[in-house]
Amino acid sequence: MDGTTTLSRTGAGAALRHDSALKHCTGEARYADDIPDVPGTLHGALVLSTVPHGRLTALRTEAARAMPGVVAVLGPRDIPGENDVAPAVKGEPLFAETLVEFAGQPLALVLAATRDQALRAAAAVTAEVEALEPVLSIERALELGQNVIAPQVIRRGDAAAAIAQAPRRLSAEFRAGGQEHFYLEGQIALATPGEGGDMTVVSSTQHPSEVQHLVARVLGCDFNRVTVTCRRMGGGFGGKESNASWVAAAAALGARVTGRPVKLRLSRRADMIATGKRHPFLYRWTAGFDETGRILGLEALLAADGGWSTDLSGGVVFRAITHALGPCDVPALTLTAQAVKTNTVSHTAFRGFGGPQGALLIEDVVHRVAAAAGLPPEQVRARNFAGVGGNGEDTPYGQKLEGDLIARVWAEAKRDSEWDRRRAEIAAFNAAHPTLRRGLGSMVLAFGISFGIQHLNQAGALVHVYSDGSIRLNHGGTEMGQGLFIKIAQVVCDVFGVDLDRIAITATSTAEVPNTAPTAASTGSDLNGWAAHNAAVAIRGRMAEVAAAKWGIAPEAVVFADNRAWAERAGANRWFDFGELAKLCFLERVSLSATGHYRTPDIHWDPKAMRGHPFFYFSYGAAVAEVVVDTLTGEHRCLRADLLQDCGRSLNPAVDRGQIEGAFVQGMGWLTCEELWWDAHGRLRTVGPSTYKIPGSRDVPPVMNLRLLEGAPARVETIFRSKAVGEPPLLLATSVWNALKDAIGTPALDLPATPERVLMALRNRG
């Protein structure tokens, strides 16, 4: 940072509560569905396929059209633009035309005077479908060679030769399930038509620009005719990165056709049936290793279930393959990652975006190698740490890890958790209890921060300083409860040296900041923080020139702090109140408005060679978890978790701590209790909280110790040397999986580790 920036008591580094915390608790915070309906507003309901694969021969809408309150039933022929809502590649229709590809695919949109009328009418629409054989498993899709993206392969050295020459060899296969986002606020959009073809959309979205683009595509208009706003979401977790766009496009289509506002809010059941999940994965690997547990060669397949269309599977698979070794080094390897096509909902972004699935590979390898070699898995993992004990520090794709931080986070987590004492304690407990078994597990993470698609690594911001010294802040990031808005406001506080109450935090809008990236990949603070900083610095420089001219000094001598601009001259301090200086700038006809832009430097990727520098930096962390398992029922509980996360110089420790705790619990849910189940007819049966188990308050470990790594600022120029925190801590929950394996005495445990799977693992153990 430059020398003229002075930290304010509410600026970067201050542990402040979320800017909407009180509003959240009192119900004052307004979400899309809280906006009062204007007279004439119509409500939408989707008609969804009940067949996973088949030819659509007819759609019977007559009964629905005749029902009370129904205004229209819209299908593909009513779309004035393109019937395509693909976020990355073409070929994903808003409404199926001739081919149905999954149970839950939208076929039509019903518009009625009330939501209940729309839902009843949608249920009256019948589809005639000539059934085709569906593909419902990764294994079957692999047999047929069905992919939604081409396989990605990373090679280093001769893996086959290294495995053949290694003293020991081992092969294994395991599976990890998907995960429903289960955001508190479901998918929703409110589209209001304006004059001249304008369309205003309020969307619960992580990516307002993508909503703008896909609405324009469906309506057949330019981007500038569509304005998308989002003040806040009731959770996103990646589920509102691409799926929110087609929901908004459907609402906008209804508004365009009828000329009336249209609100489309999916029920929880429809939301779960029609929107994508975290990608399930199948893993197959062979490793060669020595008696010390050093992995010498590895060949692995990471096969993701992409569902029926591409969606964002390319990026998910990319992040999985680049995180498949976690913090470890393997000198010779061949990693193949692909997303296969099945007749299920198109899987999509989810917190971690493939990184958590990728990291499971090396954890499974480490634990099975450790069991085969008769060594503790922590010893085997540490033996393979990148940059430690003579191991290489480069990833297989050519980017360096920081071996000192990898070793440090594990050493400190082991110390904080009293590993050795508790290891002995657990052994004594297990010896004394015939049915209850306790286990201790660990995890060390190295998570790359940046979008895998280079052009997404940019952000914009708009800052106004008014003549009374109040400040209006807008940027391209979206607020989904993660505290992004308060962090960016703290950055602007620092630049101007003012208190937080001078800053008005405003809704994200494509009309104010265009061409934005999604708020995803843990880049929200990095990108938007710098963009807002750059805009504020531009204004501060102009203000400094005005003050300097009054005082006859150089602008560089003007300091902004404590709600003032001041300078020392001839032993006497001169100062302006920030508001006074703003008024003076206005009188001097100086602009107090600026846009800011930022693009992440020093990142590049060669998709053909599968090499490059795709991440700006890595985030590190470590965790230790303790569990207890009832061997008669398979039921289990996490008793304690010790978490250590590297946040660099945290922009807001209070917010970051909340993110780490929430990520851990969400990751624990994915790995232990959240199970998606499709029946033999390709219909999702886990469609609500009665059949899909997310963690509750009593699932949180009774003892959860959390510490931010001290004295480890980012070694690259991040905003105030902070580090991302949204996604990396989710991987720390892998320690719970490892603890369960320790408790039941086997390295083989498919995910999610439900009581049924724990019992099967116990049985297979013999």
Side-chain angles (χ1 to χ4, degrees):
M1 310 309 296
D2 56 83
T4 56
T5 296
T6 302
L7 299 184
S8 70
R9 61 181 179 273
T10 56
L16 305 180
R17 69 187 181 201
H18 193 289
D19 56 285
S20 295
L22 292 178
K23 295 183 178 71
H24 291 158
C25 293
T26 61
E28 185 183 350
R30 286 179 33 149
Y31 296 85
D33 203 31
D34 295 320
I35 299 172
D37 293 348
V38 301
T41 298
L42 298 175
H43 295 263
L46 294 172
V47 178
L48 304 177
S49 169
T50 59
V51 176
H53 195 203
R55 295 185 181 90
L56 180 61
T57 58
L59 193 65
R60 305 298 182 190
T61 64
E62 297 82 2
R65 294 178 189 274
M67 295 180 73
V70 173
V71 173
V73 180
L74 306 180
R77 294 181 181 178
D78 298 296
I79 295 174
E82 297 180 52
N83 183 23
D84 194 335
V85 289
V89 299
K90 292 296 184 77
E92 299 178 26
L94 174 59
F95 301 128
E97 295 190 44
T98 59
L99 188 64
V100 171
E101 302 226 53
F102 74 98
Q105 184 168 7
L107 305 179
L109 174 69
V110 175
L111 301 174
T114 70
R115 185 166 180 268
D116 286 344
Q117 289 172 334
L119 290 169
R120 282 194 291 267
V125 176
T126 57
E128 295 181 6
V129 180
E130 180 185 326
L132 299 172
E133 181 181 357
V135 175
L136 301 175
S137 70
I138 297 175
E139 291 87 343
R140 180 58 177 155
L142 286 171
E143 291 174 5
L144 297 174
Q146 291 189 177
N147 292 318
V148 295
I149 59 164
Q152 301 177 17
V153 182
I154 291 179
R155 294 184 176 89
R156 179 163 67 183
D158 189 336
I163 293 169
Q165 296 166 12
R168 304 281 299 276
R169 285 173 293 282
L170 190 64
S171 296
E173 176 179 298
F174 73 103
R175 294 164 183 79
Q179 187 177 20
E180 164 64 33
H181 301 89
F182 221 98
Y183 22 64
L184 287 175
E185 177 200 32
Q187 298 283 356
I188 183 172
L190 171 63
T192 304
E195 63 181 40
D198 286 355
M199 187 66 64
T200 300
V201 181
V202 177
S203 173
S204 183
T205 177
Q206 296 174 236
H207 197 349
S209 287
E210 183 183 279
V211 172
Q212 179 191 43
H213 298 168
L214 293 188
V215 167
R217 186 192 297 172
V218 168
L219 298 186
C221 67
D222 293 336
F223 296 165
N224 63 6
R225 311 309 299 184
V226 180
T227 298
V228 179
T229 62
C230 178
R231 173 56 184 90
R232 60 172 60 85
M233 287 165 274
F237 312 118
K240 295 177 180 176
E241 188 172 343
S242 63
N243 280 281
S245 300
W246 67 259
V247 173
L253 171 65
R256 169 60 59 83
V257 171
T258 64
R260 296 162 64 175
V262 169
K263 180 185 288 186
L264 176 58
R265 174 169 65 87
L266 302 191
S267 66
R268 179 66 64 183
R269 184 177 186 277
D271 197 321
M272 293 186 72
I273 290 172
T275 64
K277 324 294 178 195
R278 184 187 294 280
H279 290 65
F281 267 64
L282 169 68
Y283 307 79
R284 293 170 177 165
W285 59 264
T286 299
F289 57 99
D290 63 20
E291 299 301 331
T292 71
R294 176 63 171 140
I295 302 166
L296 305 171
L298 176 64
E299 291 181 328
L301 168 69
L302 298 86
D305 184 343
W308 75 278
S309 69
T310 303
D311 197 86
L312 301 176
S313 291
V316 169
V317 164
F318 168 78
R319 189 166 285 271
I321 197 172
T322 52
H323 286 73
L325 294 187
C328 296
D329 168 70
V330 177
L333 56 77
T334 299
L335 302 175
T336 302
Q338 62 193 93
V340 299
K341 179 176 180 177
T342 62
N343 293 113
T344 60
V345 65
S346 188
H347 296 299
T348 191
F350 200 120
R351 195 176 193 173
F353 205 74
Q357 295 99 310
L360 293 181
L361 174 69
I362 193 63
E363 287 300 304
D364 191 69
V365 173
V366 161
H367 278 71
R368 295 191 197 239
V369 165
L375 299 169
E378 286 69 28
Q379 181 178 328
V380 172
R381 187 195 294 119
R383 176 69 181 87
N384 291 281
F385 276 161
V388 177
N391 297 340
E393 202 168 30
D394 282 357
T395 63
Y397 47 89
Q399 186 164 0
K400 285 188 179 299
L401 294 171
E402 297 162 87
D404 59 330
L405 285 180
I406 293 171
R408 181 185 167 191
V409 293
W410 168 235
E412 293 192 18
K414 187 176 180 181
R415 180 201 66 200
D416 292 351
S417 65
E418 304 174 283
W419 177 274
D420 293 331
R421 179 188 66 78
R422 290 169 63 202
R423 185 79 273 177
E425 209 175 71
I426 289 170
F429 176 91
N430 290 340
H433 290 78
T435 58
L436 295 180
R437 303 283 299 180
R438 284 162 61 184
L440 201 61
S442 65
M443 173 62 180
V444 180
L445 71 89
F447 193 92
I449 305 299
S450 285
F451 285 103
I453 299 175
Q454 187 166 350
H455 72 262
L456 293 180
N457 293 286
Q458 61 175 307
L462 176 64
V463 175
H464 301 317
V465 175
Y466 293 97
S467 58
D468 65 349
S470 61
I471 300 165
R472 188 178 193 276
L473 169 62
N474 194 272
H475 54 82
T478 55
E479 177 62 57
M480 63 195 87
Q482 85 279 37
L484 174 65
F485 280 15
I486 187 68
K487 283 186 171 183
I488 307 306
Q490 288 177 260
V491 169
V492 174
C493 281
D494 275 350
V495 174
F496 289 122
V498 300
D499 291 336
L500 189 65
D501 58 10
R502 284 187 180 262
I503 297 179
I505 297 172
T506 58
T508 310
S509 172
T510 57
E512 297 198 47
V513 177
N515 309 319
T516 61
T519 304
S522 303
T523 63
S525 297
D526 288 357
L527 296 178
N528 296 287
W530 268 122
H533 174 272
N534 294 342
V537 164
I539 298 172
R540 187 188 65 189
R542 299 171 200 158
M543 297 178 74
E545 290 176 356
V546 172
K550 288 292 182 183
W551 296 330
I553 62 174
E556 294 77 17
V558 179
V559 176
F560 289 76
D562 299 323
N563 298 298
R564 295 176 175 180
W566 60 275
E568 184 176 324
R569 184 184 182 193
N573 288 341
R574 298 189 176 193
W575 57 270
F576 283 116
D577 177 81
F578 187 80
E580 291 176 342
L581 181 55
K583 180 65 176 293
L584 181 59
C585 290
F586 171 69
L587 296 176
E588 295 288 341
R589 298 180 295 178
V590 172
S591 171
L592 293 179
S593 177
T595 60
H597 185 263
Y598 173 76
R599 62 178 184 176
T600 308
D602 306 322
I603 54 174
H604 57 87
W605 182 253
D606 182 342
K608 293 184 178 179
M610 292 294 287
R611 290 186 60 80
H613 194 283
F615 307 116
F616 192 33
Y617 62 92
F618 286 85
S619 175
Y620 302 94
V624 171
E626 181 179 345
V627 301
V628 61
V629 177
D630 185 333
T631 59
L632 299 180
T633 66
E635 294 179 288
H636 50 79
R637 186 176 187 191
C638 183
L639 301 174
R640 174 176 167 178
D642 293 85
L643 314 178
L644 177 66
Q645 182 63 47
D646 176 16
C647 297
R649 291 177 181 159
S650 170
L651 290 175
N652 186 322
V655 166
D656 285 353
R657 290 177 66 89
Q659 283 290 286
I660 295 165
E661 292 172 351
F664 177 83
V665 173
Q666 188 173 54
M668 188 172 65
W670 167 50
L671 295 168
T672 63
C673 64
E674 297 185 42
E675 184 171 28
L676 296 163
W677 187 76
W678 281 265
D679 66 19
H681 302 288
R683 294 170 297 188
L684 183 66
R685 292 301 195 180
T686 47
V687 293
S690 64
T691 51
Y692 184 82
K693 174 67 173 71
I694 64 171
S697 59
R698 288 178 293 180
D699 295 307
V700 177
V703 178
M704 183 183 288
N705 302 315
L706 166 60
R707 187 166 64 83
L708 305 185
L709 188 69
E710 299 171 357
R715 293 169 181 171
V716 293
E717 192 71 10
T718 60
I719 187 70
F720 288 99
R721 301 289 181 176
S722 62
K723 284 187 177 181
V725 72
E727 295 174 309
L730 188 139
L731 281 70
L732 296 178
T734 309
S735 60
V736 177
W737 179 42
N738 292 334
L740 288 170
K741 292 185 287 187
D742 179 63
I744 62 181
T746 176
L749 180 59
D750 281 352
L751 298 167
T754 58
E756 294 87 348
R757 286 198 177 87
V758 169
L759 281 178
M760 286 189 286
L762 284 164
R763 180 184 301 172
N764 293 336
R765 183 195 63 178

